[in-house]
């Protein structure tokens, strides 16, 4: 009942995330389910909201979405690393803090709202100070999503990844111009690329991967976009 009250009081996407988190604990092997999360389950969430971009028009909703998501997970007793409108240095620092908290985690969550870009079928998070003036700068000013998910795969049992980053993206046009001039063969695509788990997990052994499963959610299908929305969320 307590979980239901928290979920219904928050925006729709928060409701979805809460239900996913609850299901993850219920379905995890050996999990003891009573009236809520058990104290022995370690739960860590990295919640990122990036909207105050310096070189393109700001996004009004990611900060609101991230605050609501972070508040929901805190009510569910997650250890939350909350990141709002950070430049590259600040974003990397927060990700590093999240990774230090991951070992022996039962449920790990990555939530990102903001601009992202797909280069050579890899998804990248874009911090507030990105400019993309040159091809080299483009690669150096973004954060690969795979680097975060890879650590989650190795260090956490159940993973929930939510990428609310499929808006019409002004950075895409800038990147197309920069890479077109560079002629280095890198490819760009609208929307985000699909994400799969580690291909060698069946052979990795428990020392490398200790996983119960992964839930990956997008705001739109791979390669598609969606609007930022007209409301607060």
């Amino acid at each position: 009942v307590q979980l239901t009250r928290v979920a219904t009081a928050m925006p729709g996407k928060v409701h979805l995330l809460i239900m996913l988190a609850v299901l993850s604990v219920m379905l995890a092997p050996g999990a003891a389910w009573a009236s809520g999360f058990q104290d022995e389950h370690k739960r860590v969430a990295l919640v990122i909201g990036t909207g105050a971009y310096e070189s393109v028009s700001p996004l009004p909703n990611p900060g609101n979405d991230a605050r609501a998501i972070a508040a929901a997970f805190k009510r569910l007793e997650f250890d939350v690393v909350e990141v709002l409108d950070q430049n590259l240095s600040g974003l990397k620092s927060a990700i590093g803090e999240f990774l230090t908290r991951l070992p022996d985690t039962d449920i790990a969550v990555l939530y990102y709202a903001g601009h992202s870009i797909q280069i050579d079928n890899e998804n990248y998070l874009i911090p507030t100070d990105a400019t993309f003036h040159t091809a080299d700068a483009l690669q150096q000013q973004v954060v690969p999503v795979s680097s975060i998910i890879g650590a989650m795969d190795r260090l956490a049992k159940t993973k929930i990844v939510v990428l609310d980053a499929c808006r019409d993206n002004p950075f895409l046009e800038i990147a197309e111009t920069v890479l077109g001039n560079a002629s280095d063969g890198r490819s760009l695509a609208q929307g985000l690329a699909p994400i799969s788990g580690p291909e060698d997990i069946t052979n990795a052994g428990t020392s490398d991967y200790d996983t119960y499963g992964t839930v990956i959610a997008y705001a739109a299908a791979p390669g598609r976009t969606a609007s930022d929305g007209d409301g607060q969320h």
Side-chain angles (χ1 to χ4, degrees):
V1 175
Q2 184 176 7
L3 292 174
T4 303
R5 288 174 180 169
V6 172
T8 54
M10 304 302 292
K13 64 176 67 176
V14 179
H15 191 169
L16 169 63
L17 279 174
I18 292 174
M19 293 303 100
L20 288 175
V22 172
L23 286 172
S24 298
V25 174
M26 294 178 67
L27 297 176
W33 181 261
S35 59
F37 285 123
Q38 301 300 299
D39 289 343
E40 67 269 18
H41 287 119
K42 182 179 178 181
R43 304 175 295 280
V44 182
L46 173 61
V47 178
I48 305 170
T50 305
Y53 290 99
E54 299 172 8
S55 62
V56 301
S57 298
L59 294 170
N61 288 341
N64 297 332
D65 294 344
R67 291 184 187 92
I69 294 290
F73 278 118
K74 288 175 182 177
R75 294 182 186 186
L76 291 173
E77 299 182 2
F78 275 71
D79 180 11
V80 178
V81 178
E82 185 175 352
V83 189
L84 298 175
D85 292 326
Q86 285 294 319
N87 59 21
L88 180 62
S89 176
L91 182 57
K92 286 184 174 180
S93 176
I95 292 171
E97 176 62 27
F98 172 65
L99 299 185
T100 64
R101 303 184 191 186
L102 272 184
D104 302 317
T105 295
D106 292 286
I107 303 175
V109 176
L110 166 63
Y111 173 86
Y112 176 79
H115 279 312
S116 181
I117 194 167
Q118 178 190 156
I119 306 174
D120 291 336
N121 295 315
E122 170 70 76
N123 299 318
Y124 295 89
L125 310 183
I126 304 178
T128 57
D129 58 345
T131 59
F132 291 9
H133 288 327
T134 67
D136 289 339
L138 189 158
Q139 202 72 40
Q140 295 168 3
Q141 293 175 353
V142 293
V143 176
V145 176
S146 61
S147 65
I148 308 173
I149 296 179
M152 294 169 69
D153 281 329
R154 291 190 301 273
L155 300 173
K157 295 179 175 66
T158 299
K159 282 78 63 180
I160 300 173
V161 178
V162 180
L163 297 179
D164 185 8
C166 61
R167 302 160 178 83
D168 288 334
N169 188 354
F171 284 104
L172 181 61
E173 295 181 7
I174 300 172
E176 286 175 339
T177 300
V178 168
L179 293 185
N181 293 335
S183 300
D184 60 0
R186 280 181 284 180
S187 65
L188 294 166
Q190 193 176 43
L192 298 181
I195 297 173
S196 59
E199 295 179 359
D200 59 346
I201 193 167
T202 56
N203 300 317
T206 55
S207 61
D208 294 323
Y209 295 98
D210 185 9
T211 181
Y212 294 157
T214 301
V215 175
I216 299 177
Y218 298 89
R224 304 295 292 272
T225 63
S227 68
D228 190 38
D230 297 325
Q232 185 179 4
H233 295 284

